[in-house]
């Protein structure tokens, strides 16, 4: 039995039929299997489940049913399969598979076929044996597999030869701590492991990806930290990766993104941008034209597309087609689009945001209701459709210590609770500069800035 605890998410069920067909259902999404034999159907099912395990970077559970009974299994990313001993197996009843004996006497005048001559048997081609299927375990489980043996690949002549153009890159010396002090004094010191980790995170958030990327920041509970998460993630990517970063308040009911960011020399909102969509998408439009509608953050170098929190919801109703139009403009002019969302997960505006998202970020605090709301949201998305399920599986959870009375243990407890639901869960310590007023990355404590950099790197790994 597996030595690690295997979560029950995602929920995977598989069924085989004697004719070689089958079906795999992953979080409610069905994947048909069409083969010619029962063993081929098993192999195709396990290949798809192993692919899911590879994406999850851990083993997954699957329950199979078919002519051989019901077998709960644990499938590993390397393709190995073991029985899930935490659940009972239900083998099919053993029946006599042998054909019944024909008791009809043979006709008397039947002449037996002549035996083959030695010459014929000598030169007859040997029958081609089919590939042997894995032997069932003593209890009849034909699903168990060992990991396939690695295939040795030999390099080509060019791969084996070291290029004359290849040069070893010299690592930059330390700049932090006592190592940095010695470097500045003229004694070159290599960086510490913590400085190397920070450089790696900076490199991650400094990348430019081909095509725009949309990041949706979500939680169905108000006050869970969606707006600070949106603002500070955008600041991390814009400060290190340069311009082309937008934050967008996709909220029907009093979105506060505009209250937590600098206001430009105007009061424009997305309601002012909507009538100009066709013009902004035309070939004659210029990027500077957007300055009429977005609010540039002079220190953190990203732009803000505000909603109108002073208006009632029915006065600024945005339809899914409006979300499509705004996103088309944003994707034309920006490389990264961070969307601050509302609390109504059934709102068509919210659901359309999910359809455009490339990466999901769940914002939460250490409060139990905030953490539970985020977890329920991920579980609901996992059952919505295949695209939403993939977003949920690859989500990043950012746990913010909004309450100064909460402890590091509270942060760790919430983060650990999400690790079976999302790709990564990172924590951010309490910082008074995040509580009220305009959010500026430079106002945060050094340890808080480092935490947000790590959170940004976690997001970047999914882009």
């Amino acid at each position: 039995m597996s030595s690690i605890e295997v979560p029950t998410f995602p929920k995977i069920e598989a069924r085989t039929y004697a004719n070689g067909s089958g079906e795999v259902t992953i979080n409610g999404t069905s994947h048909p299997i069409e083969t010619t034999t029962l063993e081929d159907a098993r192999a195709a099912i396990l290949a798809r489940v192993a692919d899911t395990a590879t994406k999850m970077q851990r083993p997954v559970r699957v329950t199979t049913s078919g002519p051989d009974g019901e077998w709960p299994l644990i499938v590993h990313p390397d393709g190995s399969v073991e029985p899930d001993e935490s659940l009972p197996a239900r083998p099919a009843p053993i029946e006599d598979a042998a054909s019944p004996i024909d008791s009809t006497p043979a006709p008397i005048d039947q002449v037996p076929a002549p035996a083959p001559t030695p010459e014929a048997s000598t030169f007859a081609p040997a029958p081609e044996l089919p590939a042997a299927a894995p032997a069932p375990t003593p209890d009849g489980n034909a699903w168990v597999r060992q990991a396939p043996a690695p295939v040795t690949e030999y390099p080509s002549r060019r791969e084996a030869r070291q290029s004359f153009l290849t040069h070893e890159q010299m690592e930059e010396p330390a700049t932090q701590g006592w190592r940095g002090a010695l470097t500045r004094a003229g004694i070159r010191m290599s960086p510490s492991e913590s400085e190397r980790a920070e450089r790696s995170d900076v490199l991650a958030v400094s990348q430019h990806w081909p095509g725009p990327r949309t990041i949706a920041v979500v939680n169905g509970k108000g006050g869970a930290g969606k707006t600070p998460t949106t603002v500070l993630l955008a600041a991390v990517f814009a400060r290190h990766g340069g311009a082309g970063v937008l934050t967008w308040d996709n909220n029907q009911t009093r979105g506060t993104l505009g209250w937590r960011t600098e206001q430009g020399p105007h009061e424009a909102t997305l309601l002012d941008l909507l009538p100009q969509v066709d013009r902004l998408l035309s070939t004659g439009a210029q990027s500077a034209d957007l300055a009429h509608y977005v609010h540039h953050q002079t220190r953190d170098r990203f732009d803000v597309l505000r909603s109108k929190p002073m208006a009632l919801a029915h006065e600024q109703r945005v339809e899914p087609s409006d979300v499509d139009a705004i996103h088309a403009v944003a994707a034309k002019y920006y490389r990264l689009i961070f969307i601050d969302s509302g609390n109504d997960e059934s709102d068509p505006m919210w659901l359309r945001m999910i359809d455009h998202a490339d990466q999901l970020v769940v914002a939460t605090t250490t409060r139990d209701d905030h953490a539970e709301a985020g977890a329920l949201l991920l579980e609901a998305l996992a059952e919505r459709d295949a695209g939403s399920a993939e977003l949920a599986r690859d989500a990043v959870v950012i746990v913010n210590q909004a309450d100064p009375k909460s402890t590091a243990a509270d942060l760790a407890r919430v983060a650990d609770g999400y690790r079976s639901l999302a790709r990564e869960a990172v924590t951010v310590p309490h910082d008074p500069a995040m509580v009220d007023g305009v959010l500026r990355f430079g106002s945060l404590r050094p340890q808080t800035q480092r935490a947000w950099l790590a959170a940004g790197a976690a997001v970047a790994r999914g882009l």
Side-chain angles (χ1 to χ4, degrees), residues 39 62 65 76 80 142 174 184 187 205 232 251 258 268 282 324 331 339 364 400 410 413 450 459:
E39 180 54 36
V62 57
S65 60
H76 295 261
S80 60
R184 289 188 291 273
I187 304 174
V205 300
L232 295 172
N251 198 330
S282 68
D324 293 340
I339 306 181
T364 184
N400 175 22
D410 295 327
R413 174 182 59 84
R450 180 67 185 92
V459 172

Side-chain angles (χ1 to χ4, degrees), residues 225-233 260 340 400 434 439 452:
K226 295 188 291 292
T227 297
T229 298
T230 303
V231 171
L232 295 172
L233 282 179
R260 303 301 306 273
D340 186 9
N400 175 22
M434 292 173 53
L439 287 161
W452 279 110

Side-chain angles (χ1 to χ4, degrees), residues 176-411:
Q176 299 176 1
W178 64 267
R179 294 170 178 265
L182 288 176
T183 298
R184 289 188 291 273
I187 304 174
R188 185 184 180 95
M189 296 292 295
S190 60
S192 64
E193 289 305 314
S194 62
E195 185 172 357
R196 286 194 178 103
E198 182 173 342
R199 291 180 180 182
S200 176
D201 287 349
V202 169
L203 179 64
V205 300
S206 301
Q207 301 297 316
H208 281 214
W209 293 268
R213 297 290 190 271
T214 300
I215 302 96
V217 182
V218 299
N219 192 310
K221 190 74 174 174
K226 295 188 291 292
T227 297
T229 298
T230 303
V231 171
L232 295 172
L233 282 179
V236 166
F237 280 88
R239 277 173 164 252
H240 293 286
V245 180
L246 176 72
T247 58
W248 163 13
D249 200 351
N250 188 53
N251 198 330
Q252 298 276 28
T253 55
R254 302 196 188 286
T256 59
L257 181 62
W259 290 348
R260 303 301 306 273
T261 52
E262 296 178 55
Q263 179 176 332
H266 55 77
E267 296 183 355
T269 69
L270 57 84
L271 298 179
D272 299 296
L273 181 143
L274 274 172
Q276 305 299 323
V277 164
D278 291 340
R279 182 177 67 83
L280 292 171
L281 292 177
S282 68
T283 56
Q286 299 177 330
S287 59
D289 294 337
L290 281 177
H292 294 291
Y293 311 104
V294 297
H295 302 259
H296 183 64
Q297 306 303 291
T298 56
R299 300 184 185 181
D300 289 329
R301 305 172 189 172
F302 65 91
D303 292 343
V304 178
L305 181 60
R306 296 180 164 193
S307 64
K308 196 170 184 178
M310 301 306 295
L312 297 176
H314 73 275
E315 296 174 352
Q316 56 173 341
R317 180 63 59 181
V318 176
E319 302 298 332
S321 59
D322 297 327
V323 176
D324 293 340
I326 296 172
H327 187 268
V329 173
K332 178 180 178 180
Y333 294 101
Y334 294 94
R335 62 185 183 90
L336 293 174
I337 306 162
F338 289 87
I339 306 181
D340 186 9
S341 64
N343 304 326
D344 186 358
E345 301 160 19
S346 65
D347 187 350
M349 180 180 179
W350 192 94
L351 294 171
R352 199 70 186 122
M353 170 195 69
I354 294 297
D355 295 335
H356 285 293
D358 300 299
Q359 174 69 62
L360 198 69
V361 174
V362 176
T364 184
T365 70
T366 54
R367 279 178 44 175
D368 291 343
D369 56 341
H370 291 162
E372 183 67 13
L376 291 173
L377 185 151
L378 288 177
E379 292 169 349
L381 286 178
E383 298 178 357
R384 179 180 178 235
D385 55 39
S388 300
E390 185 175 357
L391 280 176
R393 182 174 59 248
D394 294 337
V396 173
V397 179
I398 300 178
V399 187
N400 175 22
Q401 188 182 1
D403 183 359
K405 297 180 181 178
S406 61
T407 64
D410 295 327
L411 279 173

Side-chain angles (χ1 to χ4, degrees), residues 25-87:
T25 304
I26 304 175
N27 284 330
T29 302
S30 175
H31 305 276
I33 300 294
E34 295 294 339
T35 65
T36 57
T37 67
L38 182 58
E39 180 54 36
D40 287 346
R42 290 193 191 103
I45 287 171
L46 291 177
R48 180 172 286 276
V49 177
D51 180 63
T52 300
T54 300
K55 293 178 179 178
M56 299 294 293
Q57 299 180 354
R58 60 168 174 80
V60 296
R61 297 177 186 270
V62 57
T63 301
T64 68
S65 60
D68 54 350
E70 295 184 7
W71 300 95
L73 308 170
I74 295 176
V75 180
H76 295 261
D78 63 2
S80 60
V81 183
E82 60 179 308
D84 183 356
E85 298 180 3
S86 65
L87 297 173

